[in-house]
Amino acid sequence: MAPTVLVLTVLCLQIFVTFQSLVREPSPALDQRTRTFTKREVRGASVKPARYSRDVSSHRDVPLCITSVTVTSEEYAKLQSNTHYFAFTTDDGTSITLAWIGDGTGIILALTIYSIPFSIWNFGSTSRLYRSENYGKTFSEISSTIGNSFIRKDLGIMAGPGNSKRVILAADISEGTEKGGKIYTSVDAAEDFTAIDLPFHLGMKIIFHPTNENYLLTKSIDSSLWVSQDFGMNWKRIHESVYTVSWGPGNVIFFATHPNGTVDINGRGELHLKRTEDFGKTFHIVLYNVYNFGHSEHFLFASVVTDRGHPRKVFVSTDEGDTWGEAQLPPVTHDQFYSVLASDEEMIFMHVDEPGDNGFGTMYTSGDTGVLYSKSLENHWFDDKRGVSDFTNITSLRGVYITNILTKDGSIQSVITYDAGGTWSSLNPPSGSSCNTDECNLHIYGEYSMLQFPNVPMPPLTDVNAVGIIIAHGYVGNAIANVNPDVYVSDDGGYTWIKSLEGPHHYAILDSGGLIVAVEASSDKTVHTLKFSTDEGQCWTVYPFTNTSFMFSGLASEPGTKSMNVSIWGYTVAEDSSTTWVTYTVDFKELLTKECDDNDYVTWLAHSTNTESDTDGCILGYKENFQRLKKSSVCINGRDYVIDKVGQACKCTKSDYLCDFGYYRQENSTNCVREPDLKADDIEFCLQGNEETLKTDGYRKIPGDKCEEGFVPSRKEYFKALCKSTASDKSYDSATTAMIIICTLLMTVIMILGFVMILRKYICGNRTFVYRYSALQQNADDRCITDGLDNVSAEPRGPYHDDSDEDLIE
């Protein structure tokens, strides 16, 4: 009986672990260099009512521009001759991971892994490695170049950043071996590999240096920090008991460690944030009492316990930790958190959670120092358990962001900003849309929505090379609804939209926006057609690329939208239920043979409302004219295509300003009004060691705003005295510790006396005793610092993904 119970327990544990990893796995980043597809059981789709669904209005009467017939015979012949089928015969892998090596090289690595269901420690698992030199049209197995080693699925293919041709694979070696693990490195896009025995076992993915290809950083399973300066040939342990780690600029490495040499989740809040500039020869403690930290291009963030028993505070540095400023955000209670949504060289988007487990908070935007913040958006929808939201940076047009808010009646509605959080508004519905409700707007499904509504296969897609283009799943009505969404496209950065495709689809942008491709998403049937558009989604042509049905897994193209190739991945199922990975790669170069010339482009003024005002197109104090491809032009931009734009500064208006700290904008107004809680005319704060006094009319220029003259409000900061943040002080000294012990003893005595009195009153007095409690999770605060931050969690969190950087700095 006992052995049976043990086996069942192990199986249940394995099921639980597998389920947890599936739930916690974020959606793939659209610009990442790796993609993973997994074979799945196909079931009939069942739609359950969503918690926030209440809109039942219909908008299906908007006509679509999909050709009623397939491609012409001439087009079909060209596409068929450039559609390449490849089957991974005799490979029974249950998952396949793709990695693009370099830019424009055409080299793709494919790693298949066969995992036995419910197996532990990869018992019986196998892997195979393949390489393509022609954008996935054909693959050759190269498993022998790595000694047919089994590659760890949780680490996958580690490809170098940018145009690097460097690749690292981690072999699965038992953690019980004394010598350590093994990696295979390549400097020539996986033509050859070098086997390297490590003096440790990898505990996380290896972090490539952003600019130096030879520098590598990682942690071992015992939480030691290791660095290599020769692309993995030799490794040096530079510190022990490391929680989190990040590259800084140049040779700088930041990491958080416990002063007692322990690694325990309960130790957070006592950590030292250290910096080394010479690969571990010397260290400098830049901050004490740290709970978590993260680093972006311009900002170094840290959440700090300044006083025991008090809420954590966020501190920001713009000089790599030499000086710090406390983020001047509104006060928060102990059950709230801060989360960095996005940051660049000029500003930070910060989400501040509301008290209680209600799923929303307030969004704030910072100045260029990261210290002063202004309220940007209330009721921002946010999953505080998984650290995700629908906040989307529209990279195809400067200053544009889309997210969702939770309204008082529990519905989810989409809002958009065109001025980097200065003002937010509803999204305009496509022309001709109709609703059965008073409110009729377009609502977009983002990353958080994908977790809530499983019938949404992809988040919004934009790219800096495809100016103004946004492709997203949406719904027209008064709120997001749990229905099959349609695909909507905007060609002007979100000002106007068209309903482009009926139902959910997988989509990709090719040729810098000159070509868009899509495959219909369906969980209960196979696919055999590919749709493509040469006019930014206005009209589509249907191409039946195969007569053989197969189970569709995903659409894949080279990151960066420069490619002319797209691959449709899936697998076939034989009569004996065996499966085979297959891919169809379509090359559009023979169909679109004409190279674009000057006559194929038109001048486009971004953010234009088609008025004759001098301020038309002025956003963030600047107007930009772009040369964009005409929708009627069917030609190739090419890989060497560079965006042509001309900018001009605008005169300043109130729209170029955010409300300063302590001020807010009333609805439908550009005026900044003082917060009721702000009583003093002058605002004092500590900034990088200086006590500053702020005198303001309530306005501060939006970071990155380039306006000149015009409306110029008064705003001055005065140096008052030197100040020293408690966060920079050394860990609690002996006097502080003694005081804490004394206070703890006194509180214990008081609690015991109070408990005795309660017992006498409620139990001895024969009265009923009613109490409330709250369960606190140990890891409730250890979530994620967002897009673009290089912070990596120290604790094992299941499979690591390039897009799973931490974004919560609570």
Side-chain angles (χ1 to χ4, degrees), residues 116-417:
I116 298 177
F118 312 129
S119 66
I120 302 177
W121 303 301
N122 295 318
F123 177 76
S125 299
T126 59
S127 67
R128 292 185 182 181
L129 185 64
Y130 300 85
R131 185 175 185 268
S132 172
E133 297 181 350
N134 51 16
Y135 294 95
K137 298 171 184 176
T138 59
F139 284 87
S140 300
E141 185 175 358
I142 59 171
S143 301
S144 60
T145 61
I146 56 172
N148 296 305
S149 298
F150 176 67
I151 302 303
R152 290 175 56 175
K153 181 179 180 180
D154 59 333
L155 300 182
I157 303 173
M158 294 173 276
N163 199 30
S164 171
K165 295 182 180 181
R166 306 204 170 197
V167 183
I168 302 176
L169 302 172
D172 185 59
I173 304 295
S174 172
E175 296 178 1
T177 59
E178 296 180 359
K179 292 184 179 180
K182 175 179 285 189
I183 60 173
Y184 293 91
T185 63
S186 174
V187 297
D188 54 8
E191 284 192 30
D192 300 289
F193 281 93
T194 300
I196 300 174
D197 292 320
L198 300 176
F200 59 91
H201 288 282
L202 283 171
M204 58 174 283
K205 264 196 172 184
I206 294 174
I207 308 174
F208 288 82
H209 190 278
T211 58
N212 193 313
E213 295 181 333
N214 289 320
Y215 294 169
L216 302 174
L217 193 63
T218 191
K219 284 199 320 166
S220 56
I221 58 175
D222 62 355
S223 298
S224 294
L225 180 59
W226 295 78
V227 66
S228 173
Q229 295 175 251
D230 53 10
F231 195 59
M233 293 298 297
N234 297 282
W235 291 86
K236 174 185 175 182
R237 180 165 58 185
I238 62 175
H239 212 284
E240 298 178 346
S241 306
V242 173
Y243 282 66
T244 48
V245 59
S246 171
W247 282 111
N251 298 338
V252 174
I253 300 172
F254 295 106
F255 61 94
T257 182
H258 199 284
N260 295 338
T262 60
V263 178
D264 185 354
I265 191 171
N266 296 322
R268 290 187 180 273
E270 302 173 352
L271 306 181
H272 291 174
L273 178 56
K274 293 186 177 182
R275 180 183 68 197
T276 177
E277 302 176 44
D278 51 16
F279 300 103
K281 294 180 181 178
T282 59
F283 301 98
H284 177 57
I285 301 177
V286 297
L287 204 60
Y288 293 89
N289 307 324
V290 172
Y291 184 85
N292 205 352
F293 87 95
H295 183 266
S296 67
E297 297 180 31
H298 184 61
F299 299 102
L300 179 62
F301 308 93
S303 59
V304 175
V305 179
T306 55
D307 296 293
R308 289 189 182 276
H310 288 75
R312 290 181 287 275
K313 297 180 180 179
V314 175
F315 285 78
V316 182
S317 174
T318 56
D319 54 12
E320 310 306 334
D322 288 337
T323 58
W324 294 83
E326 180 182 338
Q328 300 299 302
L329 288 162
V332 297
T333 58
H334 68 280
D335 63 341
Q336 295 173 266
F337 60 86
Y338 301 100
S339 178
V340 178
L341 299 170
S343 67
D344 55 27
E345 294 183 356
E346 297 172 331
M347 68 182 301
I348 303 169
F349 281 89
M350 183 80 76
H351 173 93
V352 180
D353 185 43
E354 290 293 319
D357 185 17
N358 46 32
F360 69 93
T362 302
M363 187 191 303
Y364 293 85
T365 54
S366 78
D368 54 5
T369 64
V371 173
L372 295 179
Y373 287 79
S374 299
K375 183 186 295 185
S376 176
L377 181 67
E378 295 180 325
N379 302 318
H380 183 233
W381 196 36
F382 192 96
D383 184 352
D384 55 354
K385 294 181 176 60
R386 285 169 286 197
V388 297
S389 70
D390 285 334
F391 184 83
T392 304
N393 181 3
I394 305 302
T395 57
S396 60
L397 195 61
R398 180 176 58 96
V400 182
Y401 298 83
I402 295 176
T403 194
N404 284 326
I405 59 174
L406 178 63
T407 64
K408 293 181 180 180
D409 62 1
S411 62
I412 305 300
Q413 298 179 356
S414 296
V415 289
I416 188 171
T417 178

Side-chain angles (χ1 to χ4, degrees), residues 74 110 204 256 370 496 550 563-564 637 654 694:
E74 182 181 357
M204 58 174 283
T496 60
F550 69 102
S563 176
M564 292 292 292
N637 284 313
K654 288 184 178 180
L694 173 64

Side-chain angles (χ1 to χ4, degrees), residues 27 61 178 237 268 288 307 386 395 422 460 478 498 503 624 633 671 683 704 722 746 754 804:
S27 58
D61 54 343
E178 296 180 359
R237 180 165 58 185
R268 290 187 180 273
Y288 293 89
D307 296 293
R386 285 169 286 197
T395 57
N478 62 355
I498 62 170
E624 294 172 302
S633 295
N671 296 323
I683 302 171
L722 293 176
L746 289 175
S804 62

Side-chain angles (χ1 to χ4, degrees), residues 29 130 176 203 214 257 298 309 315 341 356 365 381 389 397 426 428 491 515 531 543 565 573 575 626 660 700 771 788:
Y130 300 85
N214 289 320
T257 182
H298 184 61
F315 285 78
L341 299 170
T365 54
W381 196 36
S389 70
L397 195 61
S426 300
N428 296 319
D491 63 359
L515 181 65
K531 302 171 185 176
Y543 164 51
N565 296 269
V573 182
E575 293 183 357
F626 292 86
D660 220 332
R700 62 176 173 85
Y771 65 94

